[in-house]
Amino acid sequence: MDSAPQPGPEVDPAPARNVPPAGSPTAPPAGSPTAPPAGSPTAPPAGSPTAPPAGAVAGSPADESGDRFAHRPPGYPSALVWLRAGILRDWRGVLGSFLATWFYVPLALVAAVWGGLALGLYGLIAGGTQSEEAVPALLRDAPLVGPLLEAFVARSGGVVGGFAGFALGALVGFLAVLVLPWRNAFDEPANLFTGLAGMVVAAGLVGLLYTVGRVLLEPWLLGVSGARLLSRREAERLRPLLSDCAARLGLPGEPRLLIEDDPVLTNARAYARHVVVSTAVLDCTDEEIAALLSHELVHWRTGDEVTSAFIRGVGLPLVLVHALPAWLMRRFPHPATDFVVFLFFWPVLLTMRYLVLPCHRRDVRAAEYRADTGAVLAGHREGMRAMLERRRSFETGRSGWDEAVCATHPPSELRLDRLDHPVPDPATDRAATARGLDELFGGTTGATVGSRRALLLVGALVLVSCLGGGLTATQWAFFRPQAAVSDYFAALDDHDAPEALDQLTPDVRAALGDSGQLARMVAAKDYRPPTDVSVTGVERDGDEAVATVAYTLAGRKLTAELPLRRDDSAVLGLFHRWHLDAAPATLTLPGGPAPLTVNGVPAPTGEEGVAVPLLPGAYTVAGESNALSETAPRVVYVVPGQQSVSGAELTPTLRPEALAAAEQSVRSYLDGCAAQAVAAPPGCPLRYYSGGSTVKKIAWKITEYPRIELTLTGPTTARVSTAYESQGSARATGSTVGYFGTTPFSDTQTVGVSGVLSVVDGKLTFQPGDD
């Protein structure tokens, strides 16, 4: 308001003087000769929708019912329909608030200004110092044209470069803030869609929670802001007028009426469940007060405050930031304050002024024209005309947002022009007035609240919400880091190595090579996977994560940390899988010709040992068992995240029956040697030295077999030796021919055996000779 209201004429404060019959939209104007007197049969009866409870002061707590949405507008089937109608009405305002807040338009403006200044300064300097190079040589040499271009560029190159640089820098800076948050989504359009859908759902949820909270807490918020209950005298003056206006508008109920102490500014504002007026209203005539209250009742009935609250909720971060400069300029009204505030908050102020409010202006102006029409249909054309002619606006804001929205009201002159439009006269054409009210409110049953456009929008929002919820649930169930870890250990529990390997990163799988042998080791019955696996925590850093896993292995409860990495590609263009970035552990087995087995699967052989990859779990490593030796198996435990495994050093042991078999082979060998009637059987430990005489006849007999010792040199070979004290003996008998004729002899000598005992075709075979 520009000026303080002037006192109106004296009026009779009798509360029932101007009250029409309950529900009648055609009651005569306040102060008319036909107005029913107080207590007349046409006055609203006690307990009617337009009358306050008996003995209760209007606006007192006695007016409140148990409904949490008490004093909400009538004509809606439910509170849900009421809230939905207000939320879905002004899609332009919601869109402007959403774009300004969730696309960081204030930050984009800052980036645009600084980018423009930076490139503008560069263009100014470069244009002034390098202007000659801007003209091509062909044009520079052209007669008349060349000198003109050179002169133009030389004198204006810096200015043109500065403007061009500022324009380019501003555009780049503005777009950078808008585009950079989506830089990871351009490779996958589905991510762009899901990101936008997530923003829409988040903004809608914030707006809905803010709106519901605002409506529920409205009595407390208004009390904190200074609104209070009406006194007895204020209620006697205002409440009958409010009931009269509600009845004229065909409203079976009315909002709770509160008042704020401001004797200067005539102010009124409709909220979701309340109408608040200032004490300066009491200085107006009954006709002016009735026009004002009729105007606010239309705002209340059509849910205009719900619409505004939802738009504020969608842009809540921006609204909260905007509240500070608005409060400073309202609290300290001075040009210097305005300048300083604008200097610090210009991005927010410009965004609100040139983006949010223009989008919201259409609905606000339509609501004002609609409320003015409601006052006319209630029979208060002259009162509304008087209010508009004397005052710029009787709706001023209590907050920065309210003030900004009120600034989008239609000019008073245009509103006065609308008042002159023909409308039914409630005193003479009640049927036309009723039709006008029904058209104004869209019906009193709420049947038209769910228009096709609103239903389509609700359906789209529900579809997006369901889609977003379904995608989120799918992401949570199957594409979290925890899901990859769970699938990995579930595959191990099923002895399914290929499935477990699928949970590893492609780099790890490529480095692993052929995994057929590993798959057979895991599929074997001797394999024991970790049990009681649970993911106790995940620490994520961008596309990398570390999962803490608790598990049981060999009866011990252990924990491990497994690194994970997120795929660059997406499943169906929507979901990014996680893979374990941990290579299988390597078990180094000793080399040799005889292979070892892991869970019964032969391991590769090599001269200097081989490395076998193993997945987490318990494995049984065993060596070859044959007629000569046996190797006791060992259990090797591989814990998750382990890089190398030891403990597979298997030592073969001599079989107890191998010594007896070896002794039998040695005896057979010696018997074969003794059967030869020569002084030195080839390959035998028997030798008779005749001293130069010729052995004519000789016979060998083993008198005592040596006791041999076996020393394993490998799983299939053993060194055969005879200790000095374990040697046997053999006797040689025969005759020699010499100078003195034939001489008989008999000689006993010690016998020792050495050689190699090996397994050939599953049988022990003794091979004499040096080992």
Side-chain angles (χ1 to χ4, degrees):
M1 303 265 319
D2 294 333
S3 62
Q6 302 298 323
E10 292 294 330
V11 295
D12 183 4
R17 184 169 58 86
N18 296 323
V19 179
S24 172
T26 60
S32 68
T34 59
S40 67
T42 59
S48 69
T50 60
V57 177
S60 66
D63 292 336
E64 293 284 4
S65 66
D67 188 0
R68 296 297 300 275
F69 290 101
H71 301 287
R72 64 178 174 88
Y76 298 91
S78 64
L80 179 61
V81 176
W82 165 49
L83 294 176
R84 188 192 69 189
I87 288 173
L88 299 179
R89 189 176 67 195
D90 184 16
W91 64 268
R92 295 178 182 85
V94 173
L95 180 62
S97 183
F98 172 75
L99 293 177
T101 305
W102 295 83
F103 283 87
Y104 314 112
V105 172
L107 295 180
L109 290 177
V110 174
V113 170
W114 283 106
L117 291 176
L119 287 187
L121 181 60
Y122 173 78
L124 184 65
I125 297 174
T129 58
Q130 303 175 9
S131 57
E132 296 181 356
E133 300 177 359
V135 181
L138 181 62
L139 295 178
R140 192 185 308 120
D141 296 337
L144 186 61
V145 176
L148 287 177
L149 286 176
E150 286 187 347
F152 173 77
V153 172
R155 288 166 175 78
S156 61
V159 177
V160 174
F163 277 110
F166 182 84
L168 180 61
L171 180 62
V172 171
F174 187 84
L175 294 179
V177 175
L178 299 183
V179 173
L180 283 179
W182 304 92
R183 61 187 182 276
N184 294 329
F186 289 110
D187 294 337
E188 300 172 12
N191 285 353
L192 183 63
F193 168 75
T194 54
L196 288 173
M199 287 176 57
V200 171
V201 172
L205 183 60
V206 173
L208 180 62
L209 293 177
Y210 176 85
T211 303
V212 174
R214 181 84 186 184
V215 173
L216 289 175
L217 299 177
E218 187 175 278
W220 179 80
L221 294 174
L222 292 177
V224 171
S225 65
R228 60 172 175 81
L229 300 176
L230 277 66
S231 67
R232 179 182 58 80
R233 289 182 297 176
E234 293 167 343
E236 289 175 352
R237 175 75 189 284
L238 299 177
R239 188 57 184 268
L241 295 175
L242 180 67
S243 300
D244 170 49
C245 295
R248 289 170 179 261
L249 293 172
L251 301 179
E254 58 193 54
R256 192 180 186 191
L257 184 61
L258 301 178
I259 196 168
E260 58 182 4
D261 296 310
D262 188 349
V264 178
L265 296 178
T266 302
N267 189 18
R269 182 165 178 82
Y271 292 87
R273 299 155 56 196
H274 299 75
V275 169
V276 180
V277 298
S278 65
T279 52
V281 171
L282 299 173
D283 294 331
C284 300
T285 65
D286 282 6
E287 174 64 16
E288 292 173 342
I289 297 176
L292 182 148
L293 292 177
S294 299
H295 180 96
E296 301 305 329
L297 282 173
V298 175
H299 281 313
W300 169 71
R301 170 61 178 78
T302 54
D304 293 337
E305 174 61 20
V306 175
T307 301
S308 181
F310 184 72
I311 294 175
R312 291 199 304 272
V314 170
L316 187 59
L318 182 64
V319 172
L320 293 178
V321 176
H322 176 265
L324 178 58
W327 178 83
L328 291 174
M329 290 188 291
R330 184 174 65 253
R331 182 67 177 82
F332 307 100
H334 192 276
T337 304
D338 295 346
F339 174 76
V340 173
V341 170
F342 182 81
L343 190 63
F344 283 95
F345 294 96
W346 65 267
V348 176
L349 296 175
L350 292 181
T351 302
M352 291 290 293
R353 183 178 180 87
Y354 295 106
L355 178 58
V356 179
L357 294 180
C359 293
H360 191 35
R361 179 182 292 119
R362 178 174 178 176
D363 183 75
V364 172
R365 293 195 172 192
E368 290 306 311
Y369 287 132
R370 183 170 55 244
D372 290 346
T373 302
V376 173
L377 290 174
H380 301 298
R381 186 196 303 265
E382 296 305 321
M384 180 58 62
R385 185 187 302 278
M387 292 294 292
L388 292 176
E389 287 179 344
R390 286 198 305 161
R391 298 168 177 83
R392 179 175 60 86
S393 177
F394 51 81
E395 290 177 321
T396 59
R398 182 176 289 108
S399 66
W401 170 265
D402 294 337
E403 291 179 349
V405 171
C406 290
T408 64
H409 280 33
S412 296
E413 284 298 321
L414 297 181
R415 296 173 67 179
L416 287 169
D417 287 345
R418 287 290 186 99
L419 292 180
D420 294 333
H421 290 183
V423 294
D425 186 357
T428 59
D429 194 348
R430 297 185 179 183
T433 300
R435 287 195 300 270
L437 290 174
D438 188 69
E439 182 180 351
L440 183 69
F441 296 137
T444 58
T445 62
T448 61
V449 172
S451 64
R452 178 173 297 180
R453 185 177 64 181
L455 292 177
L456 288 176
L457 183 56
V458 170
L461 290 176
V462 170
L463 179 61
V464 170
S465 300
C466 294
L467 179 61
L471 294 177
T472 301
T474 303
Q475 174 71 34
W476 186 88
F478 302 106
F479 297 96
R480 293 184 304 157
Q482 292 90 330
V485 176
S486 300
D487 292 345
Y488 178 67
F489 284 99
L492 293 180
D493 189 60
D494 294 337
H495 292 227
D496 190 350
E499 178 64 23
L501 292 175
D502 283 342
Q503 308 306 319
L504 304 180
T505 60
D507 295 341
V508 172
R509 295 199 302 268
L512 184 61
D514 184 15
S515 59
Q517 187 180 56
L518 176 59
R520 293 191 295 273
M521 293 177 182
V522 173
K525 63 179 181 179
D526 290 337
Y527 171 73
R528 286 173 287 167
T531 58
D532 302 329
V533 180
S534 62
V535 181
T536 59
V538 174
E539 294 183 4
R540 180 175 173 181
D541 183 11
D543 290 341
E544 297 181 351
V546 176
T548 302
V549 182
Y551 62 96
T552 301
L553 185 62
R556 298 178 58 188
K557 294 184 178 298
L558 304 171
T559 60
E561 291 185 348
L562 295 178
L564 296 104
R565 192 171 65 199
R566 191 168 179 253
D567 283 353
D568 294 332
S569 59
V571 178
L572 302 178
L574 297 173
F575 308 105
H576 291 267
R577 294 185 59 185
W578 287 84
H579 288 93
L580 276 72
D581 195 16
T586 55
L587 172 65
T588 302
L589 299 178
L596 301 178
T597 60
V598 179
N599 287 349
V601 179
T605 59
E607 294 296 332
E608 298 181 356
V610 293
V612 179
L614 297 178
L615 296 174
Y619 298 83
T620 300
V621 181
E624 182 182 8
S625 296
N626 49 56
L628 177 63
S629 65
E630 60 183 1
T631 304
R634 300 191 64 175
V635 178
V636 175
Y637 298 99
V638 181
V639 301
Q642 191 174 6
Q643 296 182 352
S644 60
V645 184
S646 60
E649 295 80 8
L650 302 181
T651 303
T653 58
L654 192 67
R655 285 181 175 273
E657 61 272 18
L659 181 59
E663 290 178 344
Q664 182 63 37
S665 297
V666 169
R667 290 184 179 185
S668 297
Y669 159 69
L670 292 177
D671 289 343
C673 290
Q676 300 182 44
V678 294
C684 297
L686 304 178
R687 294 289 186 274
Y688 173 72
Y689 299 96
S690 61
S693 299
T694 300
V695 177
K696 182 178 181 181
K697 184 179 181 181
I698 186 172
W700 293 94
K701 182 179 181 180
I702 305 299
T703 58
E704 182 180 359
Y705 291 99
R707 296 192 303 273
I708 62 174
E709 296 179 355
L710 294 179
T711 304
L712 285 175
T713 57
T716 59
T717 59
R719 179 169 56 85
V720 179
S721 61
T722 304
Y724 177 77
E725 61 277 6
S726 301
Q727 291 182 344
S729 60
R731 186 173 69 245
T733 59
S735 60
T736 60
V737 178
Y739 181 76
F740 297 103
T742 301
T743 305
F745 67 86
S746 177
D747 183 52
T748 301
Q749 58 183 247
T750 60
V751 177
V753 178
S754 64
V756 175
L757 187 66
S758 58
V759 179
V760 178
D761 296 332
K763 297 181 179 180
L764 292 178
T765 301
F766 173 70
Q767 182 66 34
D770 295 334
D771 46 3

